[in-house]
């Protein structure tokens, strides 16, 4: 199952909208916006592929809850959060990481 998650992320990497010479999005070009991978046994390799995909497609959202990302996948998530994160929320339920796995995750400002 993890290979499927990695393959989807690779597809997402090449899915940003096409742009013309003025850097305007070409109408009708397609962009992958959201991947729903809830409970697909995706692990650290999928998270690494997601980090690579988000570099090219910064609007890409992925639901990776209930996947064993583990401590090995958390540095990849941290890289996304530090450099490329544009989403309003992050759900990290049931991702099989320890408290130590959270160390690479940057602290976010609290909105009040």
């Amino acid at each position: 199952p993890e290979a499927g998650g990695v393959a989807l992320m690779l597809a997402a990497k090449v899915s940003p909208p096409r742009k013309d010479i003025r850097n305007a999005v070409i109408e009708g070009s397609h962009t992958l916006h959201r991947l729903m991978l809830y409970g697909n046994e995706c692990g650290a390799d999928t998270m690494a592929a997601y980090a690579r995909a988000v570099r090219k497609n910064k609007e890409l959202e992925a639901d990776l809850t209930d996947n064993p990302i583990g401590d090995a996948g958390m540095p990849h998530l941290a890289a996304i959060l530090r450099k490329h994160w544009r989403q309003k929320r992050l759900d990290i339920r049931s991702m099989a990481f320890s408290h130590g796995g959270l160390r690479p995750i940057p602290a976010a400002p609290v909105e009040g």
Side-chain angles (χ1 to χ4, degrees), residues 8 10-12 22 25 31 55 57-58 63-65 75 78 81 85 87 89 95 98:
L8 285 168
L10 292 174
R22 293 181 314 266
V25 173
T31 303
R55 283 186 213 135
N57 185 351
K58 292 176 178 41
D63 181 348
L64 292 165
T65 56
L81 294 173
W85 192 255
Q87 288 15 279
R89 67 182 202 95
M95 292 177 77
S98 69

Side-chain angles (χ1 to χ4, degrees), residues 15-87:
S15 75
R18 294 179 27 193
K19 297 184 178 183
D20 63 19
I21 58 173
R22 293 181 314 266
N23 206 31
V25 173
I26 297 171
E27 189 173 334
S29 64
H30 300 286
T31 303
L32 183 61
H33 293 284
R34 183 176 299 135
L35 288 170
M36 304 303 287
L37 296 174
Y38 177 86
N40 277 292
E41 297 299 316
C42 298
D45 290 341
T46 299
M47 186 57 75
Y50 181 36
R52 290 188 299 272
V54 171
R55 283 186 213 135
K56 294 279 186 180
N57 185 351
K58 292 176 178 41
E59 302 299 324
L60 178 65
E61 294 180 36
D63 181 348
L64 292 165
T65 56
D66 201 22
N67 282 291
I69 303 303
D71 290 350
M74 296 310 273
H76 303 295
L77 178 58
I80 294 167
L81 294 173
R82 268 191 233 101
K83 295 181 181 179
H84 309 292
W85 192 255
R86 293 190 179 177
Q87 288 15 279

